[in-house]
């Protein structure tokens, strides 16, 4: 799962810090979530999905996080 989330972040062309800002969290908090130490909240998952919709119109939260 971790590599998949990182891959989607890279497809968006965003650093961990930039994506953290998009999700309303710090770079460190984002790093901990991307590395699997902490889980993404439901609201963060929805924001992440919204960022990916222009690239993947049919993507689901399950596709991204599971």
């Amino acid at each position: 799962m971790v590599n998949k989330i990182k891959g989607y972040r890279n497809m968006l062309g965003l650093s961990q810090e930039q994506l953290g800002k998009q999700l309303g969290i710090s770079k460190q908090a984002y790093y901990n979530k991307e590395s699997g130490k902490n889980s993404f909240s439901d609201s963060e998952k929805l924001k992440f999905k919204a960022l990916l919709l222009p690239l993947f119109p049919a993507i689901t939260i399950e596709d991204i996080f599971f």
Side-chain angles (χ1 to χ4, degrees):
M1 178 188 85
V2 172
N3 288 339
K4 188 159 50 164
I5 293 170
K6 181 178 179 180
Y8 283 126
R9 176 175 56 80
N10 288 333
M11 285 181 210
L12 291 168
L14 298 173
S15 67
Q16 289 181 338
E17 184 174 14
Q18 290 168 323
L19 188 49
K21 282 183 182 174
Q22 293 277 340
L23 300 179
I25 58 177
S26 69
K27 177 185 176 184
Q28 186 63 45
Y30 180 83
Y31 169 81
N32 287 337
K33 292 170 190 249
E34 186 177 273
S35 64
K37 292 179 184 170
N38 297 328
S39 298
F40 286 88
S41 71
D42 288 346
S43 64
E44 291 162 352
K45 289 177 182 178
L46 289 171
K47 289 177 186 175
F48 201 125
K49 178 186 171 190
L51 292 170
L52 289 167
L53 282 175
L55 296 174
F56 306 100
I59 200 163
T60 66
I61 290 203
E62 288 76 20
D63 292 334
I64 303 165
F65 294 97
F66 302 102

